[in-house]
Amino acid sequence: MPIRVLSPQVASKIAAGEVVERPASVAKELIENAIDAGATEIRVEIRQGGRRLIRVSDNGCGIAAQEATLAFARHATSKITDEADLSHITTLGFRGEALASIAAVSHVTLTSRARGEEAGTLLRLQGGEIVRHEAHGGRTGTTIAVENLFYNTPARLKFLRAEPTEASHIVEMLSAYAMAYPELSLHLIDNGRLVLQTPGNGKLCDVLIKAFDLSVAQQMLEIQVDEPAPADDLAARESQPGHEIPVRVSGYVGGPSLHRASRNYQMLFVNRRWIQDRALSYAVEEAYRTLIPVGRHPVAVLNIRMDPVDVDVNVHPTKREVRFRDPRAVFSAVQRVVRRAVIGQAPVASVASAPTPVLSDEWASRQSYPSPRSAWDMVPNRAQAAMEIQRTADVASPTAQSVPMLERLPMLRVLGQVRQAYVIAEGPDGLYLIDQHAAHERVLYEQLQAEQATMKAPSQALLEPLALEFTPSERSRLDGMMVSLAAFGFDIAPFGGDTYLVRAIPSALKAAQVRAVLAELLEGAGEEADAVPPAQHVLAVIACHSAVRAGQTLTLDEARELIHQLEQTISPYTCPHGRPTMIHLSSLQLEKSFGRR
Ligand code: ADP
Ligand code: MG
């Protein structure tokens, strides 16, 4: 489509506001333009954190010579024409404002040649004014160089951070687009140094290796897409009220042993647009609840696909916020798909069917593996474990394809107890050291959860009610929580002053543990009077206090029973706080350690 200036009516419907906040926002707009132009190769060069220079070159369709100046006009775009187009946007850009806004605060040089045109154009602007315009040779595609950003707006220059910080925002942004568009070959050169390069072979896993690092990428699980195909007929869907809109989620998520201190490793895309959405981030984090440590964040790269009519991208000028027509459907699709990938992609009951590889063959075929880990290592999440097996299998037969599911514990034979804290056991592949407290916590937690699900939390009435004292701040929280604690088997009532009477407690607890459990629950609760801790937290606290402790001697039978119960759990490898329940020394590692290999 030719570039045209939008009518004032359409322009007024576009979310207004400043898009050029910092160098990374300039780079983002330029990348989006290159992608919209159908580029397969994009090269980005930055100097001094992008303040001195941001140059983006693409091999896309180019800008027609007679349209070059128009591209820098406000509300000039080739991507939409009327208001109706705003309701189903399929391009990254549509506002027609980026080039105008960027040109107003920098020195811009455009060179471009449109496909099929004899000559291209060179255009130079300073503070939005054209200072040079001439014919120019060169290959098909577009290069836009933005120099001296904010040279004429010192106030905004002042807000920029140190150069490495601004550069890191650009790297993060480019990594995101590389993940959303794995078929795109991207190069980023920062002060003359190549810092990111993607092969453009269409494989997301190869981009993850480049963007995250091999050791991180190897711990990621591919989401197996088996959602129903989206129904195309909008009218048919709308005639069925309450019917969820079709949402498909693809990508990779980290195994439970992969977690980070920040959420920077969570990349969300909607129809390949990089977005920010607190509710969806929460959906991802929720799926990892009890699997990773509190305060840590999972790694995820998710592309959510849906009909463009079901998502409004015209919310915020930076286009990173979107509004879903059915937010609940999107939230639950994300949570469901992530949880399924993390817990296991095939239900365990169906072992009869051929095992699904947890790893795409992609990973397995990658030749370079990280340096061998130390002998005693955490029992890997399934991805690592499967990789380990795949690796061993590769040695035996290079054609080994399928990877067994390792979601349940292997059969373990208990050998004894070490330091009154760890159960030592032998499995089909070497030795296991199991933390008795963490393992028991996991067992109790899942038992409590099952009881909770049937709505009959076993409660024991105390022969002699416990009179407990609470501090004033504890009291206000306890008052707000008392009713909801009843659902877990507590019967607590005020007894006047600082004192409360506890008449019944969850069967899993002993009376002596009640004060500590309540203290921990109250401590975790928010300041608001009616803040109710999530069920998982209450159950985890109860499980933690009633579980066998380190320092307790277990008989061989008791240890066997514990391991037997752990075998029945859904997530045997981590305690409800996300810490490992065991470490594993494989037969291979044993043999290597003794020099037999
Ligand atoms: P928008 O992307 O919202 O349309 P921009 O101001 O970013 O607005 O760009 C204006 C127009 O310039 C685009 O609609 C497009 O036609 C053209 N354009 C910008 N960058 C490129 C590019 N790299 N390749 C081809 N055309 C481009
Ligand atoms: Mg644009």
Side-chain angles (χ1 to χ4, degrees), residues 280-301:
L280 289 185
S281 298
Y282 182 72
V284 174
E285 305 247 335
E286 248 330 68
Y288 285 83
R289 191 53 76 83
T290 83
L291 297 175
I292 62 175
V294 176
R296 303 282 295 178
H297 303 283
V299 177
V301 176

Side-chain angles (χ1 to χ4, degrees), residues 40-41 178 181-186 197-203 206-207:
T40 56
E41 282 169 30
Y181 292 85
E183 72 277 23
L184 203 74
S185 167
L186 269 168
Q197 180 184 11
T198 64
N201 61 8
K203 294 186 177 156
D206 280 329
V207 179

Side-chain angles (χ1 to χ4, degrees), residues 3 33 37 58 62-63 71 76-79 93-99 142:
I3 303 179
N33 282 344
D58 68 58
I63 301 177
T77 180
S78 58
K79 300 171 192 176
F94 58 89
R95 307 174 72 249
E97 288 213 282
L99 291 187
T142 304

Side-chain angles (χ1 to χ4, degrees), residues 94 127 186 228 246 313 333 362 416 418 424 437 449 451 470 474 483 521 566 570 577:
F94 58 89
L186 269 168
V313 296
E362 316 283 356
V418 181
I424 184 163
H437 174 70
Q449 213 177 24
E451 288 161 1
F470 292 90
E474 280 182 327
V483 177
L521 289 175
L566 188 62
I570 296 169
H577 305 105

Side-chain angles (χ1 to χ4, degrees), residues 25 74 79 166 237 258 265 303 312 319 418 460 556:
S25 28
R74 288 237 174 243
K79 300 171 192 176
E166 295 299 339
R237 277 194 279 134
L258 185 64
Y265 281 65
N303 183 35
D312 183 5
K319 301 168 287 183
V418 181
Q460 47 172 330
L556 212 51

Side-chain angles (χ1 to χ4, degrees), residues 417-422 436 550-552:
Q417 194 191 21
V418 181
R419 294 198 59 177
Q420 293 176 305
Y422 309 104
Q436 63 191 39
Q552 250 170 280

